[in-house]
């Protein structure tokens, strides 16, 4: 399995739809998957953004939340009643996936956004069937706009972990895809 990294969004992506201002950071990671016909875009989004992350990622998130919460930034810590645990096989369209509100969607793409005091963050999940093939490209794209110096300062130490988390999330998708698809249906 190879994950390709790009410094621009995929052609035809909706991630920049209705975007105002500069893009200060962008990355896009692509995974090629065989026969994901049984996986909807919502199922894939739930596997990547709402399924139970590894312990090291949870620990990093708790550390991040404890630091940024002190500065009044949004955290993943629920302020009200806890959200029900997401089922990664769920295929119903939703308004929020994990912590991320969905702002745009199509049959092949979901765009989520978080806007906070320090930065604006968007993530896109795009699935596209490759021509004359049973394979799909799965793109996970991130764009960031810094609102102020705090955004730049925040993102500097976060960026290396962001890259690791994105690639690990795509690897988790591939593992769960192999578990969800019956082996006799694979080529």
């Amino acid at each position: 399995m190879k994950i390709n990294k790009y410094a621009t969004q995929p052609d035809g992506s909706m991630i920049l739809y209705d975007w105002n201002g500069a893009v200060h950071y962008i990355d896009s990671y692509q995974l090629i998957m065989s026969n994901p016909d049984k996986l909807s875009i919502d199922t894939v989004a739930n596997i990547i953004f709402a399924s139970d992350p590894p312990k090291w990622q949870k620990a990093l998130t708790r550390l991040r939340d404890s630091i940024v919460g002190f500065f009044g930034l949004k955290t993943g810590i629920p302020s009200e009643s806890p959200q029900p645990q997401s089922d990664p096989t769920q295929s119903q369209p939703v308004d929020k996936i994990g912590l991320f509100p969905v702002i745009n969607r199509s049959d092949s793409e979901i765009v989520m956004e978080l806007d906070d005091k320090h930065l604006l963050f968007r993530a896109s999940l795009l699935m596209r069937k490759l021509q004359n093939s049973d394979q799909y490209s799965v793109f996970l794209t991130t764009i960031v706009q810094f609102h102020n110096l705090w955004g730049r300062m925040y993102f500097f130490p976060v960026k290396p972990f962001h890259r690791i988390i994105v690639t690990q999330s795509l690897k988790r998708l591939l593992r769960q895809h192999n578990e969800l698809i019956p082996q006799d249906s694979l080529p």
Side-chain angles (χ1 to χ4, degrees):
M1 169 200 56
K2 182 179 177 188
I3 297 175
N4 300 309
K5 182 178 185 278
Y6 302 97
T8 186
Q9 77 274 10
D11 290 339
S13 173
M14 298 183 295
I15 194 165
L16 287 173
Y17 178 75
D18 206 22
W19 181 266
N20 294 315
V23 172
H24 296 119
Y25 177 82
I26 186 167
D27 66 22
S28 187
Y29 291 83
Q30 176 196 34
L31 170 68
I32 306 294
M33 292 178 61
S34 295
N35 197 22
D37 290 331
K38 301 205 186 315
L39 296 179
S40 71
I41 188 78
D42 291 284
T43 300
V44 172
N46 275 305
I47 290 171
I48 291 175
F49 294 103
S51 64
D52 197 26
K55 289 179 184 179
W56 63 267
Q57 187 176 335
K58 285 181 189 177
L60 281 174
T61 302
R62 280 192 303 273
L63 175 63
R64 176 220 171 262
D65 287 350
S66 66
I67 293 169
V68 302
F70 179 75
F71 295 100
L73 300 178
K74 294 178 183 174
T75 68
I77 301 168
S79 56
E80 297 143 14
S81 60
Q83 296 281 333
Q85 184 67 22
S86 295
D87 178 358
T89 62
Q90 174 185 338
S91 61
Q92 298 299 317
V94 293
D95 294 332
K96 193 173 187 181
I97 300 173
L99 299 173
F100 305 103
V102 174
I103 62 162
N104 212 337
R105 71 167 37 250
S106 71
D107 291 340
S108 61
E109 185 174 19
I110 295 176
V111 180
M112 296 151 285
E113 179 179 278
L114 278 177
D115 194 3
D116 208 344
K117 298 173 190 175
H118 62 312
L119 57 77
L120 173 62
F121 165 89
R122 275 194 190 173
S124 162
L125 173 65
L126 174 66
M127 289 177 57
R128 189 177 288 154
K129 188 168 178 29
L130 299 176
Q131 281 189 323
N132 303 319
S133 173
D134 68 341
Q135 295 183 321
Y136 281 69
S137 278
V138 177
F139 288 95
L140 189 51
T141 305
T142 303
I143 59 174
V144 177
Q145 181 183 79
F146 304 119
H147 292 319
N148 50 43
L149 180 61
W150 292 111
R152 291 181 187 281
M153 290 173 53
Y154 165 84
F155 197 66
F156 181 75
V158 167
K159 187 173 19 176
F161 296 107
H162 161 77
R163 292 174 177 160
I164 293 168
I165 289 169
V166 169
T167 56
Q168 291 301 311
S169 295
L170 288 171
K171 289 177 183 179
R172 183 174 63 242
L173 167 64
L174 192 58
R175 282 192 306 275
Q176 288 195 20
H177 166 264
N178 290 336
E179 292 170 11
L180 293 171
I181 303 297
Q183 292 304 306
D184 59 351
S185 70
L186 295 174

